Amino acid sequence: MRAYRIKVQGIVQAVGFRPFVYRIAHAHNLRGYVRNLGDAGVEIVVEGREEDIEAFLRDLYTRKPPLARIDRLERKEIPPQGFDRFYIEKSSQEGEGGNSIIPPDIAICEDCLRELFDPANKRYMYPFIVCTNCGPRFTIIEDLPYDRENTTMKEFSMCDFCESEYKDPLNRRYHAEPVCCPVCGPSYRLYTNDGQEITGDPLKKAAKLIDKGYIVAIKGIGGIHLACDATREDIVAELRRRTFRPQKPFAIMARDLETVKSFAYVSPEEEEELMSYRRPIIALRKKDPFPLPDNLAPGLHTIGVMLPYAATHYLLFHHSKTPVYVMTSANYPGKPMVKDNEEAFKELREIADYFLLHNRKILNRADDSVVRFVDGKRAVIRRSRGFVPLPIEIPFEYNGLAVGAELMNAFGIAKGGKVYPSQYIGNTSKVEVLEFMREAIAHFRRILRVKELDLIVADLHPSYNTTKLAMEIANELNVEFLQVQHHYAHVASVMAEHGLEEVVGIALDGVGYGTDGKVWGGEVIYLGYEDVERLAHIAYYPLPGGDIASYYPLRALMGILSKVYDVEELEGIIRGYCPRAIESLKYGETEFKVALGQLVRGINVAYASSTGRVLDALAVLLNVVYRRHYEGEPAMKLESFAMKGKNDLKLEVPVEGKTIKVEELFVDVLDLLEKASPADIAYSVHIAMARTFAEVAVEKAREFGVKAVALSGGVAYNELITKTIRKIVEANGLRFYSTYEVPRGDNGINVGQAFLGGLYLEGYLSRDDLTM
Ligand SMILES: [Zn+2]
Ligand SMILES: [Zn+2]
Ligand SMILES: [Zn+2]
């Protein structure tokens, strides 16, 4: 007989690790105990036969719970003490909460899936089947400690059968808080859109209704989806009409991986992510020809796809002939996703024909997460279900709130050397969304046990609702308030994720308020613990009408061209190359004249260095798109268009001092319009922009003696630009970093804000450094 003391480090607490150890110890006839250590590790003592211990250790690695992660394992042989059994030793501070990990929602596991379709199983075809390794978590947690009484499952008292499983350490459902069965748990009901209940098997009937072409609102894990047959163009068009979404791509859910592969390319990394317990939506490259309707994702070379993640989805596909559903969050544009039954009938009556609803409350809304693989690596676009509330480590210990920016928002709570980014909040310029954010902040502070705050961090933009909300909370709680420049925060998010101390950062995105009051977004920035400095940027160009130029990118094109051409020439160019852009303005010809007048007189004109607007302007000039219906649309469609180009026309963007003169690039493009294919031009502009930023960053990194170049901002989701920058940076012997966990766009800016807040509190950077 042998005995070992084993110390395990990693993510091993509050993820079902001890019951798991208990079960495998029993399976291998070992005795001893397992207990949590104060340093977030776990100690295991086992006694038994050598080969059993070896088998136990193998299982420890290969069969661990989905959220558990083993970073380090130390094993030391000790004298056997003659334990008579294996047990779980309870620790003294257990149940305190606060420092334990609150798990995210986890896709249904293989074991539960098998039971779901096993006619002999008690939970056969039961959509709320769960175990310790899977099911809803974050979305049902009201408070800590994480036990049933503090979840929305408290309304369902366990039957004897469920309770016996819940209390049996050898059972897979030992302490699985949401455990339930058809006898004691929640259930689905199907209704017409005027609230009449339809009798019969609700899931089976809903599946048949989808097959027949109806739009069904389906309550799931983190909110309500609108589902319909994604293989029929007329139904997708009807859904667009009813949801007022003429262009925005719809996410789809496919029955299985094989189905996904019939219409999209899936790399091994993408496959792994698609199948992961997070089950995010992944923007996959469409096959050409694309066998599904074009209006699912008009004008894009990608399609957002996810696989079933709840038993409900598996059951629907089981009963359905349709292999692919549209599965889009049920909301009016800009508003939070609908999650409650009553609200569903009120808000979605005109959109959905039928409602498939269950009677378990969704406490915390969580939209589906969205990722895209860029340059072979995961880029998170929307970090929500499956990710939240897992934290990101930062090297600063303070209690703080970072409120993010405005669009695609999420906030973050800093505590104990970690930032906990919230679920996706949305467009905070809308009152309803801001209200949701207020509630979510209160909830995060409760579950993380953050009563006192040391600092509240907001964006520098004076009129963001989040800035105002942050000031309000700071006043109310008498907490110090700090604003930080938008792109400094983007760059800081990369430092946070990788634990870097200094970088030359490239921040490329749409809009962010600059320290000089101008609209930044094409920036090269030095950021270190002791200093921050704006090193180079796109030369300012006028945006006639200011913000409105985001929606009508013709205005950005006019602004950029006005730096080189006078008004008559400018008018001639637009009428000659993209006359339809004028018609697409809200007031057509009249508005065009007004915008020209604004440029001449310099009235109602903003000045920008935004990369997003430059790409938007090119999208107009090449007649790819004239209007923005959703965030990022022109630039995304331009990228899709550029993917069809192959020749690098070797365009150049001159750099003069600190400024990158994109207007010169447009002069060259105009010259090429009649000689080269528009797709080649689009491709070459991407390469030229990327090359210029990379070269400037490399030069500055050398000058400052910095080894790392960081890329962030919404344009960092662009494959061509990111890949080109990465290659040039690496070819010059420097290390390239972007983020793979924290969103690169404004959804991740809270992490950078929290990092900068830490630098400020520790006295490295001053208020002036971050705002001037
Ligand atoms: Zn399970
Ligand atoms: Zn039960
Ligand atoms: Zn941004």
Side-chain angles (χ1 to χ4, degrees):
M1 186 164 80
R2 292 282 177 98
Y4 290 95
R5 169 171 287 121
I6 300 160
K7 276 190 186 164
V8 189
Q9 235 123 41
I11 302 175
V12 288
Q13 291 194 10
V15 291
F17 195 74
R18 283 176 305 163
F20 156 73
V21 171
Y22 179 90
R23 283 196 296 279
I24 60 171
H26 269 261
H28 295 294
N29 295 310
L30 302 178
R31 292 167 304 282
Y33 64 83
V34 54
R35 67 180 183 117
N36 280 347
L37 297 174
D39 62 355
V42 159
E43 180 188 73
I44 307 166
V45 167
V46 280
E47 292 182 5
R49 298 189 320 164
E50 183 77 39
E51 58 265 43
D52 289 335
I53 294 175
E54 288 306 323
F56 166 82
L57 285 170
R58 257 197 315 278
D59 282 358
L60 199 63
Y61 275 103
T62 55
R63 299 182 54 201
K64 62 183 184 305
L67 281 179
R69 197 180 76 202
I70 298 178
D71 292 339
R72 230 159 64 116
L73 186 144
E74 272 173 51
R75 166 160 65 142
K76 207 177 141 201
E77 184 156 15
I78 53 168
Q81 297 165 57
F83 290 102
D84 59 350
R85 65 194 170 107
F86 194 94
Y87 62 95
I88 297 173
E89 188 180 290
K90 299 270 179 203
S91 47
S92 54
Q93 336 83 316
E94 222 157 309
E96 290 274 302
N99 284 324
S100 60
I101 291 173
I102 300 150
D105 302 294
I106 303 166
I108 183 171
C109 72
E110 289 299 320
D111 292 328
C112 286
L113 203 51
R114 203 174 321 110
E115 292 174 357
L116 182 68
F117 290 108
D118 172 8
N121 194 279
K122 200 161 165 133
R123 297 183 183 87
Y124 176 59
M125 298 274 183
Y126 182 56
F128 300 89
I129 185 170
V130 289
C131 73
T132 347
N133 297 327
C134 74
R137 297 289 187 272
F138 170 70
T139 49
I140 58 167
I141 293 179
E142 229 160 280
D143 202 348
L144 287 180
Y146 170 52
D147 56 36
R148 195 179 182 99
E149 274 313 295
N150 285 326
T151 73
T152 57
M153 283 301 292
K154 69 174 175 218
E155 290 170 28
F156 305 92
S157 48
M158 265 183 252
C159 68
D160 291 345
F161 171 72
C162 288
E163 195 173 349
S164 70
E165 292 196 330
Y166 179 86
K167 286 188 170 161
D168 174 8
L170 282 179
N171 194 285
R172 206 174 83 245
R173 295 194 169 85
Y174 177 62
H175 274 278
E177 302 307 335
V179 68
C180 57
C181 73
V183 174
C184 65
S187 55
Y188 270 104
R189 284 186 166 71
L190 182 66
Y191 305 90
T192 61
N193 60 1
D194 49 16
Q196 301 292 320
E197 192 181 337
I198 296 172
T199 51
D201 180 344
L203 278 99
K204 191 171 180 176
K205 290 219 160 154
K208 298 283 172 232
L209 288 166
I210 291 172
D211 285 350
K212 280 187 194 147
Y214 291 105
I215 296 168
V216 183
I218 299 173
K219 186 173 175 184
I221 303 288
I224 295 176
H225 285 99
L226 293 168
C228 68
D229 184 345
T231 65
R232 282 182 52 187
E233 185 154 15
D234 58 330
I235 296 164
V236 177
E238 179 62 16
L239 181 63
R240 289 207 172 280
R241 198 186 60 73
R242 293 192 200 172
T243 53
F244 305 102
R245 277 171 57 170
Q247 290 286 323
K248 195 176 180 184
F250 282 136
I252 57 178
M253 181 180 275
R255 178 195 293 276
D256 50 29
L257 190 61
E258 204 188 323
T259 308
V260 176
K261 287 178 175 172
S262 71
F263 60 77
Y265 296 102
V266 186
S267 73
E269 296 80 24
E270 287 167 336
E271 181 170 328
E272 194 185 329
E273 188 69 24
L274 267 179
M275 309 280 290
S276 74
Y277 71 79
R278 293 175 291 277
R279 298 283 157 94
I281 296 166
I282 305 193
L284 295 172
R285 203 152 55 87
K286 291 173 176 171
K287 283 207 166 153
D288 191 14
F290 183 58
L292 295 174
D294 220 36
N295 62 353
L296 287 170
L300 297 177
H301 70 294
T302 56
I303 176 90
V305 186
M306 62 182 150
L307 286 171
Y309 56 84
T312 307
H313 306 141
Y314 282 95
L315 292 170
L316 286 167
F317 281 118
H318 173 80
H319 292 302
S320 191
K321 280 202 282 291
T322 312
V324 193
Y325 290 177
V326 169
M327 228 4 155
T328 184
S329 298
N331 63 322
Y332 278 100
K335 286 203 192 175
M337 173 169 52
V338 177
K339 68 176 177 62
D340 301 322
N341 296 9
E342 260 176 57
E343 194 193 354
F345 285 115
K346 242 188 346 223
E347 297 264 319
L348 306 174
R349 166 166 302 217
E350 310 285 316
I351 302 178
D353 300 307
Y354 294 93
F355 290 75
L356 178 64
L357 303 174
H358 61 68
N359 57 343
R360 178 171 67 199
K361 278 196 208 102
I362 296 172
L363 197 83
N364 302 305
R365 177 184 287 112
D367 286 75
D368 298 313
S369 294
V370 183
V371 310
R372 177 179 175 185
F373 279 73
V374 176
D375 190 20
K377 291 204 168 168
R378 187 178 76 180
V380 182
I381 296 171
R382 185 165 79 188
R383 191 181 183 278
S384 215
R385 179 188 50 76
F387 286 88
V388 174
L390 294 178
I392 310 289
E393 282 180 36
I394 54 168
F396 310 105
E397 297 239 355
Y398 74 102
N399 282 0
L401 165 65
V403 295
E406 183 174 56
L407 299 174
M408 286 292 292
N409 201 42
F411 63 86
I413 299 276
K415 189 200 174 185
K418 295 184 172 81
V419 195
Y420 296 80
S422 73
Q423 74 268 50
Y424 170 72
I425 301 290
N427 176 357
T428 53
S429 71
K430 310 269 174 174
V431 213
E432 294 90 344
V433 175
L434 198 69
E435 209 34 60
F436 164 39
M437 175 158 167
R438 209 185 283 269
E439 287 162 21
I441 290 173
H443 183 255
F444 260 71
R445 286 181 59 201
R446 186 164 63 240
I447 58 174
L448 293 169
R449 297 281 189 266
V450 175
K451 285 200 189 74
E452 310 282 320
L453 290 169
D454 304 314
L455 184 69
I456 297 180
V457 193
D459 195 89
L460 191 56
H461 203 300
S463 52
Y464 278 176
N465 274 335
T466 54
T467 308
K468 293 177 196 161
L469 177 66
M471 284 166 104
E472 192 187 304
I473 300 173
N475 272 331
E476 195 182 302
L477 304 174
N478 199 17
V479 177
E480 190 170 4
F481 173 66
L482 175 75
Q483 284 174 280
V484 299
Q485 201 281 323
H486 189 90
H487 301 97
Y488 297 172
H490 271 310
V491 174
S493 71
V494 186
M495 293 172 70
E497 182 170 320
H498 299 284
L500 303 173
E501 288 188 4
E502 62 171 357
V503 296
V504 167
I506 303 172
L508 308 179
D509 72 350
V511 291
Y513 193 82
T515 60
D516 55 2
K518 297 194 163 66
V519 182
W520 292 13
E523 315 298 315
V524 180
I525 292 158
Y526 168 84
L527 181 58
Y529 274 32
E530 309 279 351
D531 194 22
V532 48
E533 199 182 320
R534 187 187 194 200
L535 303 174
H537 58 87
I538 287 178
Y540 288 130
Y541 51 84
L543 287 177
D547 274 357
I548 195 176
S550 313
Y551 299 94
Y552 298 94
L554 170 60
R555 288 172 172 270
L557 175 64
M558 293 165 72
I560 295 169
L561 294 177
S562 76
K563 292 190 74 180
V564 185
Y565 303 98
D566 65 31
V567 174
E568 284 76 34
E569 289 170 323
L570 172 53
E571 191 173 343
I573 292 168
I574 307 285
R575 291 197 192 282
Y577 290 111
C578 46
R580 289 187 53 210
I582 302 171
E583 295 159 33
S584 76
L585 291 172
K586 195 168 179 194
Y587 302 104
E589 193 66 39
T590 319
E591 189 175 337
F592 181 55
K593 291 284 187 199
V594 170
L596 283 172
Q598 287 170 333
L599 280 173
V600 174
R601 287 188 293 277
I603 296 168
N604 195 12
V605 167
Y607 289 87
S609 59
S610 153
T611 309
R613 292 302 91 80
V614 171
L615 296 171
D616 290 0
L618 193 82
V620 172
L621 184 60
L622 296 179
N623 294 294
V624 174
V625 70
Y626 306 115
R627 273 194 58 184
R628 188 192 88 170
H629 302 87
Y630 58 89
E631 177 71 4
E633 178 186 359
M636 279 163 72
K637 288 188 171 168
L638 182 70
E639 186 196 4
S640 293
F641 184 69
M643 290 289 195
K644 297 176 194 154
K646 287 187 181 59
N647 299 313
D648 184 0
L649 304 167
K650 301 274 188 302
L651 292 166
E652 301 258 342
V653 191
V655 181
E656 235 178 69
K658 290 179 89 173
T659 58
I660 296 164
K661 307 188 74 175
V662 293
E663 62 273 18
E664 302 291 337
L665 181 67
F666 279 75
V667 173
D668 291 348
V669 167
L670 285 172
D671 189 46
L672 281 169
L673 276 177
E674 271 148 40
K675 301 176 206 154
S677 90
D680 281 346
I681 294 174
Y683 175 80
S684 306
V685 167
H686 280 85
I687 304 294
M689 293 281 289
R691 197 190 302 129
T692 307
F693 275 102
E695 283 168 359
V696 171
V698 166
E699 185 194 315
K700 297 294 177 189
R702 291 227 173 95
E703 206 177 303
F704 281 70
V706 175
K707 297 274 178 287
V709 172
L711 174 66
S712 188
V715 179
Y717 295 118
N718 183 300
E719 171 84 17
L720 289 173
I721 290 179
T722 301
K723 195 172 180 171
T724 306
I725 293 178
R726 196 256 310 150
K727 280 184 173 170
I728 294 171
V729 167
E730 289 179 351
N732 281 280
L734 299 168
R735 285 193 307 274
F736 173 85
Y737 295 95
S738 193
T739 51
Y740 314 107
E741 184 73 34
V742 178
R744 300 176 186 185
D746 288 3
N747 193 229
I749 212 162
N750 66 85
V751 175
Q753 289 176 339
F755 186 89
L756 293 174
L759 283 176
Y760 167 76
L761 282 180
E762 302 225 334
Y764 288 108
L765 291 177
S766 71
R767 206 171 268 277
D768 286 357
D769 288 332
L770 295 165
T771 55
M772 286 173 77

